[in-house]
């Protein structure tokens, strides 16, 4: 039984920024499943397990190809029933809400802070590809996209909402980390991988939780290389 | 055994807008506990069970006075262990997050839409009190506070985040309503009580969930009178 996760890498292949790949890595770790990762760049789709699909994460689980992080998570929870990613349908519903909150409150502030450091740390052959695809998606140049003068302040104020659960509980999942924690930590690993620069100040209980998340699974996330 | 909840009322004593009182009513209903409510106005604290405290909700539970909605909820879950408001610590942590999200994303848009209709529907002896206390809290006149031209649009876009869990589950609690549902529904009952006017468009899966919430407990919330 082998499990291989195709994982997006920067110029230094050990640096793996993709939040969607991070979500899958956290899920595999949570379930105690062994896996190896294979670094792929942004542009060279020929190296992807399904070049026509052209995206990661893709997991090859004992010869079966599973694509797209929500599908991979569902696959893992269906195939490996011990240690479900969420204990109840309520916890699963909450993870979906955290995802929507990230999309509306976190990414619009975090993206502008991260994009230029990320592109600078990408492999030279990937930079044009990243710029072209993101500029098409955002409808503006990356420099315009990055020019949000109050991005750090907006991010700090959005992250403060996490202080409510994390002031009372060690994890968003309560006493132990669950899918909600992995969903929220994944973009923060994107941020952490892309640059070591201090970009904003993390509210205290959120920073303490982040340290706990970095410590999980033998410090897997803490050991992850940063650009 | 008698249970009496002191509940804020408008000019028509049958109209009960307070979201914090709604949260307690939902909790009592969820647990299947019989209770009566006693209407109190905003200004006349002499009628409150603890005039010096001067706030509601206050629950008199078999002679024991319990104040403040989080404390009342904790009291109910400790004293009446069947039908806990949340099944896991994770669900409880999520309810805290929904509360913080309401404070940062919903109230700042809902408040400006509601405040003037609410004050118009309040008892004449309460209007000055409401205005004075809210203007001190907001640091501006209520007319300035209400003047947020894109409040409806901001509210619609904030509510859209709920479509993620509610597109996949009947309730924020998953298959059944839990504390998360009551926390989020309470300000929507505030809005519903204060005025019958259409103030904004509720995203579809959220509107469908709202109907389900109104139907719970024999249609208790649906039957609640509106100003």
């Amino acid at each position: 039984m082998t499990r291989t996760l195709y994982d997006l890498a920067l110029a230094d292949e050990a640096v793996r920024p993709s939040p969607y790949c991070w979500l899958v890595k956290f899920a595999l770790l949570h379930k105690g499943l062994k896996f190896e990762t294979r670094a792929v760049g942004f542009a060279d789709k020929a190296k992807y397990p399904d070049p026509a699909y052209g995206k990661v994460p893709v997991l090859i689980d004992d010869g079966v190809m599973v694509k797209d992080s929500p599908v991979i998570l569902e696959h893992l929870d269906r195939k490996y029933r011990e240690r479900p990613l969420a204990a109840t349908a309520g916890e699963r519903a909450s993870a979906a809400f955290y995802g929507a909150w990230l999309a509306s409150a976190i990414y619009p502030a975090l993206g502008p802070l991260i994009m230029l450091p990320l592109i600078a740390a990408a492999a030279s052959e990937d930079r044009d590809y990243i710029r072209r695809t993101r500029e098409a998606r955002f409808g503006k140049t990356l420099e315009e996209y990055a020019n949000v003068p109050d991005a750090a302040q907006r991010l700090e104020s959005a992250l403060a909402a996490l202080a409510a659960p994390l002031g009372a509980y060690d994890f968003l999942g309560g006493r132990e980390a669950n899918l909600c924690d992995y969903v929220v930590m994944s973009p923060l690993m994107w941020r952490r991988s892309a640059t070591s620069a201090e970009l904003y100040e993390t509210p205290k209980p959120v920073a303490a939780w982040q340290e706990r998340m970095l410590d999980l699974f033998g410090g897997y996330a803490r050991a992850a290389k940063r650009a």
Side-chain angles (χ1 to χ4, degrees), chain A residues 26 171 177 181-182 185 209-216 221:
Chain A
F26 280 126
F171 295 100
D181 295 274
Y182 308 135
M185 190 64 184
W209 162 80
Q210 222 168 261
E211 295 301 310
R212 287 191 288 277
M213 292 300 294
L214 292 172
D215 284 337
L216 287 181

Side-chain angles (χ1 to χ4, degrees), chain A residues 110-164:
Chain A
L110 187 54
L113 288 170
I114 289 299
M115 195 49 71
L116 297 179
L118 185 85
I119 214 169
S124 55
E125 66 270 24
D126 284 339
R127 284 184 204 148
D128 279 353
Y129 173 85
I130 298 176
R131 175 173 289 277
R132 200 174 62 247
T133 51
R134 272 59 177 176
E135 291 188 342
R137 184 189 306 162
F138 303 139
K140 51 180 88 168
T141 68
L142 288 188
E143 286 69 20
E144 287 166 341
Y145 172 72
N147 182 26
V148 179
D150 62 347
Q153 199 187 331
R154 283 171 55 190
L155 190 59
E156 288 163 11
S157 121
L159 286 171
L162 294 172

Side-chain angles (χ1 to χ4, degrees), chain A residues 74-97:
Chain A
E74 217 182 290
H75 163 86
L76 292 176
D77 255 349
R78 208 174 39 234
K79 183 162 179 187
Y80 308 101
R81 298 195 171 259
E82 326 87 280
R83 295 200 47 71
L85 293 166
T88 65
E91 291 182 2
R92 224 166 264 281
S94 296
F97 181 69

Side-chain angles (χ1 to χ4, degrees), chain A residues 16 30 37 44 49 55 76 79-80 89 95 102-103 133 143 187-188 213 218:
Chain A
R16 309 293 180 83
H30 175 92
T37 62
D44 187 1
K55 286 189 280 190
L76 292 176
K79 183 162 179 187
Y80 308 101
L102 290 172
T133 51
E143 286 69 20
L188 302 178
M213 292 300 294

Side-chain angles (χ1 to χ4, degrees), chain A residues 24-129:
Chain A
V24 173
K25 286 181 275 189
F26 280 126
L28 288 161
L29 291 161
H30 175 92
K31 296 182 85 69
L33 298 170
K34 285 200 173 14
F35 64 98
E36 56 178 30
T37 62
R38 190 161 305 167
V40 292
F42 288 70
D44 187 1
K45 306 299 187 189
K47 299 231 172 82
Y48 285 37
D50 180 350
Y53 174 64
K55 286 189 280 190
V56 291
V58 170
L59 179 71
I60 312 291
D61 186 9
D62 204 23
V64 175
M65 187 187 300
V66 195
K67 302 176 242 188
D68 199 12
S69 55
V71 179
I72 298 173
L73 265 51
E74 217 182 290
H75 163 86
L76 292 176
D77 255 349
R78 208 174 39 234
K79 183 162 179 187
Y80 308 101
R81 298 195 171 259
E82 326 87 280
R83 295 200 47 71
L85 293 166
T88 65
E91 291 182 2
R92 224 166 264 281
S94 296
F97 181 69
Y98 278 110
W101 169 76
L102 290 172
S104 69
I106 298 297
Y107 276 104
L110 187 54
L113 288 170
I114 289 299
M115 195 49 71
L116 297 179
L118 185 85
I119 214 169
S124 55
E125 66 270 24
D126 284 339
R127 284 184 204 148
D128 279 353
Y129 173 85

Side-chain angles (χ1 to χ4, degrees), chain A residues 164-215:
Chain A
L166 294 173
Y169 297 92
D170 276 355
F171 295 100
L172 301 178
R175 279 177 285 271
E176 290 181 32
N178 76 358
L179 185 55
C180 299
D181 295 274
Y182 308 135
V183 164
V184 177
M185 190 64 184
S186 292
L188 302 178
M189 290 307 297
W190 182 51
R191 172 265 171 282
R192 186 180 155 89
S193 305
T195 169
S196 300
E198 289 292 337
L199 298 172
Y200 55 88
E201 203 172 321
T202 305
K204 238 179 201 159
V206 183
W209 162 80
Q210 222 168 261
E211 295 301 310
R212 287 191 288 277
M213 292 300 294
L214 292 172
D215 284 337

